[in-house]
Structures are given as C-alpha cells and as structure tokens.
Amino acid sequence: MSLDLVFLWHMHQPDYRNHDSGEHVLPWVYLHALKDYADMAAHLERHPAIRAVVNFVPVLVEQIEDYCRQFELGRFRDPLLRLLAEPDLDDLSTADRALLLNACFRSNHATMLTPFPRYQRLHDLYNLLDREGEVALHYLSGSYLADLVTWYHLVWCGESERRQHQLLAELMSKGEGYSLENRQQLLALIGRILQGLIPRYRALQERGQIELSATPQTHPLAPLLLDFQAARESLPEAPLPLAVEYPGGRTRVATQIEQGRQSHQRYFGAAPAGMWPAEGAISTPLLPLLAAGGCRWIASGQGVLRHSLRTQGIRDEQAPYHPWRCGAAPTLTLFFRDERLSDLIGFEYAKWHGRDAARHFVAQLEAIEAAAPEGATPVVSVILDGENAWEHYPYNAYYFFDDLYALLEQHPTIRTATYRELLDRDPPPAAATLPAITAGSWVFGTLSTWIGDADKNRAWDLLCSAKRSYDLVLSSGRLSAEERARAEAQLAICESSDWFWWFGDYNPQGAVASFDHLYRDNLRRLYRLLQIQPPPQLDVPISAGSESAQGGGAMRRVA
C-alpha cells in the first residue's frame, strides 16, 4: 500500500498598481513576498525530500519584479517603502502621517503584534491618543513614526528570514529608537530577500523538488467570462447581471491563458505543464481552451467534482483520490482538492500545537490509504493559498511545517509528488471519465462568491459596458499598435476575479471600499486609454457601504 500526496501552494495577489503614476496602491505583494513566499521556499529548502507544486499567478510575479527594480534604482513607488527610507519623519505631510498610522497596525494582532511588547506599546499609545481625536495624534513624533514603520516591516519578515539574518534579530532586540541607518539596513535586506525570491523557486524547480504551475495572466474568473449562465449550473436561481454575456469572452479567456503561459516561461525558464484556474473555477467549455493552451493538467475544488458526479448520477467513493478526464478535453487530466484536509491546514491547525497538528494530518492520510481498494494508490490533493493562512499560526507556521515535512520525509508509504511527476510515470495513475463538468469553484463548488449579489452583478455590468466600448474602439482602427497593447493590458487587469470577490456584506467595509475604489479607477483608466470620457457611474461607489468606509486591510482567504 502507498499514497501519493500533492501539495499545491497557490501564490496570488491582484495588480495593486496605479499604472498612470506607477504607485503601488496597496502593499500586499511585497509584504506577502517578504513573509510568506520566502518562508514557503525556506521550508522546502530545509526539507529537500518533499515535493510540491507551487502556483504563481503571472501578474503577481510581474509585481514582485517591479519591486526588485525599485530596489535596484533606489526609487520607491510603494508609499510604505518610501516612508521606511525617508530621512526626516518629523516633517511628513498630513497624508503621509495618516498613511503610516492607518497602515502600520494592519496585520493579525494576535500573532504579529501582541507577542512583541515594544510594538504593542506603540499600538497602545496610538489608541490612547486616537480617542482624543486627530489633533492629539500630532503629538506622535518622528521618532514614534520611525519605530512604527520599522516594527511593521520587522513583523512582516518571514520566520525563516528572522532565523537566518542577524540584522533582524538585532533590530527586534533593540525594540525602539530606530535610526535612519537602522531603517536603511532593514530596507536593503528587504531588497535582497525580494530579489532572491524568484531565483530560489527556479532553483527548486531545476533540481526537481517542485513543479511550478500558473494561472491565466490576471486571475480571471474564466467560466463567467465564457458564460454568465454557468453560475446557474450549481445554483439555478442565481440572480445574474443585466448584461446577457461578457462580450468576446472566449477570445479573452484564450488570450489570458496564452499570456499567462508566456509570462511564466519568461520568469521561470519553462512553460507550465499545468494550471490552477483562478479560484479553481472550471466549466465544461473552459476545458478545451486550457488543453489547447498547452495544459496537461488542471486542478479544481472537490465541490465541483461532487456537483458534477451528482448531476451525472455517478457514484464513486474514491472520487477525490484519483485523476479524472472529461470528454470535452480528453488529453487534459483533472485533479480535485481534498476539502477537509486542505481546510484543516487553512482554518483549524493554527489553533493546535504544531507537532500535534502534523501528526493528526498524517493520521488522516493513513486512514485514506487504509480505506483504498486493494492495489490502489490514492492521489490526495491538498491545495490552498501559500500566503494567507500562516499569519494565524504562531511563528508564521514555522514549527507546523517543520514537523509536518519531517514526518512526511520519514514516512514509509506516503510519498509527496507533483502532478507532472504523476503524469510522467509509466503507467500514470488511472483516470476515470466525467461526461461533463458542473461549473463551479473551490468555494462551495459554486460561483456565488463572484456573481449573484447585487453589487457583484453591478461590477460585472460596468465591466461589460467597458468591454463593448473597447471592442468598438479597436474595430475602428484609430488606436496605434502601442495604444492597443496598453488598452488590452488594462482590460486584463479589469478582468481579475478579485474585484468581484470583495463585493458583498461578508467582507469588512473598509477593505471593500479600497477594492471598490481601485476597481473603478482601473475601469476609468481603460476608458482613458480608449480615448473615451469615463462614464459618470464610475464616480459612484458600487457598494453602498463603500461611500463612507475608509482604509482597508488584508482579508483572510485560503484557497
């Protein structure tokens, strides 16, 4: 008996750049790179017998490289990095002071603030003055702001980086009174970590430890670009946008797939063999486009498999534990996420002692192995974000991964693998056949997280209107080749799934407001690139609560 375990760690952030100014509106790309992408590479480097798939969304990699160029040139287009480098924090503008005070406590306080008494003291002092109003906050000096921006970056450094770099330990021990030299040293180290990130993952790939996969270029919700009616395959009564369809969706999906593959090859040296479609969202019409785009495999959510089997009247107790194929794309192999095991890591084990959680996880795998039919080798897919869960763990999940990977390295019958490795075996794991896919995603097996809510549907209608204008202008021939390319790149940004994910009353209004504003800014820029006056409805927040909400933070989402 044996079991093949595939970890797929999905690295994803949308495009946070204002492409007119070049400024990064939100800092989550470099902060997650510094903390989570660096740690995930380090865990694998410490445990060379562990195999895994690491999925990078191309627009994320482009932003990481953008940050690397900022460090090379010494000119920072991210406000937080610029303020970390600012020599005189006593003479900041009101806007810059407000930015530091609003941004530099934005984290999981239980694991990233409370454990550090000097940082906690900064927060206590802020709260004390904030109760007295804005005038009282002006008592906070440049020295306070220097300590604040330094601590914020220190707590966003990965646990593995803290153990490797003496500078981080020294600065955390110092605790306060950070000089300009201290901040410059920290800034330089952040630059080195970011600049080494993509080479580290390339090295892991080149030595065969990981498989690097991709997502279409800007993380579009492909089944909905192809057909809004896909939402009703799992939820027949789902309300839909006023627009009947997204214009030219099939061409846009094919283009996003191809651009994603080209971008991935440019950064990682080889085209990906497979893809995690955005949000694990798939549909029957999407599969041939992925196969035609060169994909040998894709992965999706177990809920999609469950709904597809129910629709087809198929019973298969081992359904999540072997590959599948679909008649619409017979060369494409489908793998499905084990919801329970993935969610244990994403949502539950953060509350456990790391070693207990690791042992429990391995015991669950052993139970799956024992329940398999004689002679069968189960394939278990554990798929989740490689970024958002870890800040809920003590020490950014350092001890959990150390214990888990060590147990798996030593296990006699559980083998970690990659999807490409499985397909290259002779013979590969046997795949069963589905006549069709019931469209859905990793979230509940439906598409309701991105469509069906009034605000989400309004966001789609605004995008459809912009796309119709885009098509008319391009068909007129009045744009140059360079102007067309800029407009197409901006359209791709507007097609990202993230804008639609954030709308809805289940998300914090401050965060919704940030993404609402950024989405409408992106649509306005698309109209300007088309040389059309943006319509006035883009001046009105999509979400009613966004009008008064300010700020915004990282929302926990674990795919």
Side-chain angles (χ1 to χ4, degrees):
M1 295 287 288
S2 62
L3 179 147
D4 288 311
L5 170 63
V6 180
F7 288 114
L8 189 156
W9 306 119
H10 172 53
M11 314 303 199
H12 162 55
Q13 294 292 323
D15 196 332
Y16 292 120
R17 293 169 291 185
N18 179 320
H19 285 269
D20 290 325
S21 66
E23 286 270 301
H24 289 253
V25 179
L26 292 169
W28 306 120
V29 166
Y30 89 85
L31 291 177
H32 280 296
L34 184 62
K35 182 171 77 71
D36 303 306
Y37 311 150
D39 261 6
M40 294 299 279
H43 298 320
L44 290 163
E45 290 162 348
R46 289 197 312 277
H47 297 277
I50 294 296
R51 303 289 181 264
V53 179
V54 181
N55 191 88
F56 276 100
V57 177
V59 75
L60 165 63
V61 182
E62 289 180 2
Q63 290 177 91
I64 292 172
E65 289 296 292
D66 186 332
Y67 277 106
C68 292
R69 287 192 295 273
Q70 292 177 53
F71 279 95
E72 289 170 7
L73 299 173
R75 294 198 295 270
F76 298 106
R77 288 176 280 104
D78 188 290
L80 282 178
L81 289 175
R82 175 172 54 79
L83 290 168
L84 181 62
E86 172 60 45
D88 184 8
L89 292 173
D90 277 307
D91 192 27
L92 293 183
S93 68
T94 300
D96 280 344
R97 284 179 61 89
L99 186 147
L100 283 178
L101 295 173
N102 287 331
C104 289
F105 295 118
R106 203 177 292 160
S107 64
N108 185 315
H109 286 191
T111 58
M112 298 174 67
L113 186 146
T114 303
F116 306 105
R118 301 293 180 86
Y119 188 24
Q120 177 71 57
R121 189 171 68 177
L122 296 176
H123 189 240
D124 293 342
L125 183 56
Y126 169 79
N127 285 337
L128 178 67
L129 293 176
D130 188 45
R131 288 194 291 269
E132 302 298 323
E134 187 174 338
V135 172
L137 291 174
H138 284 284
Y139 283 104
L140 297 174
S141 67
S143 296
Y144 174 94
L145 297 175
D147 287 356
L148 178 62
V149 72
T150 302
W151 263 111
Y152 189 64
H153 286 89
L154 287 173
V155 300
W156 274 94
C157 287
E159 186 67 23
S160 301
E161 301 301 323
R162 293 179 194 167
R163 292 162 189 263
Q164 178 181 352
H165 298 290
Q166 183 177 347
L167 174 66
L168 296 177
E170 290 175 350
L171 291 178
M172 296 185 89
S173 296
K174 183 175 182 179
E176 61 187 357
Y178 295 114
S179 65
L180 175 60
E181 182 183 4
N182 292 150
R183 289 187 281 122
Q184 289 173 334
Q185 290 171 329
L186 177 57
L187 191 69
L189 177 57
I190 291 171
R192 291 195 297 274
I193 292 170
L194 295 181
Q195 289 165 337
L197 196 62
I198 300 305
R200 289 172 72 182
Y201 280 99
R202 283 190 68 155
L204 286 165
Q205 175 181 246
E206 287 164 4
R207 73 182 188 214
Q209 187 175 351
I210 67 170
E211 175 183 358
L212 288 168
S213 63
T215 297
Q217 179 68 20
T218 63
H219 207 263
L221 214 293
L224 294 178
L225 292 188
L226 293 173
D227 186 359
F228 288 153
Q229 292 291 330
R232 289 182 168 168
E233 292 183 22
S234 56
L235 294 173
E237 304 302 319
L240 297 180
L242 296 176
V244 175
E245 64 180 4
Y246 182 68
R250 182 179 178 85
T251 299
R252 290 301 307 147
V253 170
T255 299
Q256 287 257 14
I257 292 169
E258 179 56 26
Q259 289 178 340
R261 286 176 56 79
Q262 291 178 4
S263 177
H264 188 93
Q265 181 160 5
R266 184 164 63 252
Y267 287 111
F268 294 111
M275 284 191 167
W276 166 255
E279 312 295 359
I282 60 173
S283 62
T284 300
L286 175 61
L287 302 187
L289 297 179
L290 290 162
C295 291
R296 296 177 61 192
W297 63 264
I298 61 169
S300 183
Q302 188 176 345
V304 174
L305 177 60
R306 185 166 53 248
H307 291 163
S308 300
L309 293 172
R310 184 182 304 129
T311 301
Q312 304 298 325
I314 299 172
R315 294 180 60 86
D316 183 345
E317 293 183 2
Q318 294 294 309
Y321 304 131
H322 59 74
W324 289 86
R325 289 208 174 94
C326 181
T331 63
L332 186 66
T333 302
L334 285 68
F335 297 91
F336 291 94
R337 174 183 188 262
D338 186 301
E339 287 180 350
R340 190 176 64 87
L341 290 181
S342 301
D343 287 348
L344 280 171
I345 295 177
F347 298 104
E348 181 62 30
Y349 285 155
K351 308 166 195 171
W352 294 37
H353 187 281
R355 186 166 302 164
D356 291 340
R359 288 173 174 167
H360 182 267
F361 183 84
V362 171
Q364 305 310 298
L365 294 172
E366 290 170 341
I368 294 170
E369 181 183 8
E374 188 170 349
T377 300
V379 177
V380 179
S381 296
V382 172
I383 303 172
L384 64 157
D385 281 0
E387 52 207 19
N388 287 320
W390 320 128
E391 67 195 60
H392 298 267
Y393 281 74
Y395 302 99
N396 210 43
Y398 180 92
Y399 291 107
F400 168 72
F401 274 107
D402 234 26
D403 288 325
L404 177 62
Y405 281 176
L407 287 175
L408 291 172
E409 281 180 312
Q410 299 160 10
H411 202 282
T413 59
I414 298 173
R415 302 172 296 186
T416 54
T418 69
Y419 291 132
R420 183 170 195 161
E421 175 191 340
L422 292 177
L423 296 181
D424 285 345
R425 285 183 187 169
D426 186 16
T433 300
L434 277 168
I437 292 291
T438 299
S441 74
W442 74 274
V443 186
F444 313 127
T446 75
L447 300 174
S448 61
T449 303
W450 300 272
I451 198 168
D453 171 271
D455 291 345
K456 297 177 193 292
N457 288 350
R458 183 171 176 231
W460 279 109
D461 282 324
L462 291 173
L463 177 60
C464 289
S465 295
K467 179 57 162 59
R468 285 191 289 270
S469 297
Y470 171 91
D471 290 342
L472 286 171
V473 170
L474 262 64
S475 66
S476 74
R478 71 171 185 254
L479 298 184
S480 68
E482 183 179 344
E483 290 169 335
R484 287 198 304 272
R486 285 203 297 269
E488 183 184 356
Q490 185 64 26
L491 174 64
I493 292 169
C494 295
E495 291 170 339
S496 168
S497 73
D498 295 82
W499 316 123
F500 310 98
W501 187 89
W502 279 96
F503 293 115
D505 58 9
Y506 51 84
N507 281 326
Q509 277 304 310
V512 173
S514 292
F515 279 82
D516 187 337
H517 183 79
L518 188 53
Y519 177 56
R520 288 182 289 112
D521 268 0
N522 278 315
L523 287 173
R524 276 191 286 261
R525 183 172 189 269
L526 175 59
Y527 279 105
R528 290 196 298 270
L529 290 171
L530 295 172
Q531 301 172 15
I532 296 175
Q533 181 70 25
Q537 56 262 41
L538 291 179
D539 296 329
V540 180
I542 294 169
S543 173
S546 295
E547 197 158 8
S548 59
Q550 298 293 325
M555 175 68 180
R556 188 181 187 193
R557 45 169 309 177
V558 187

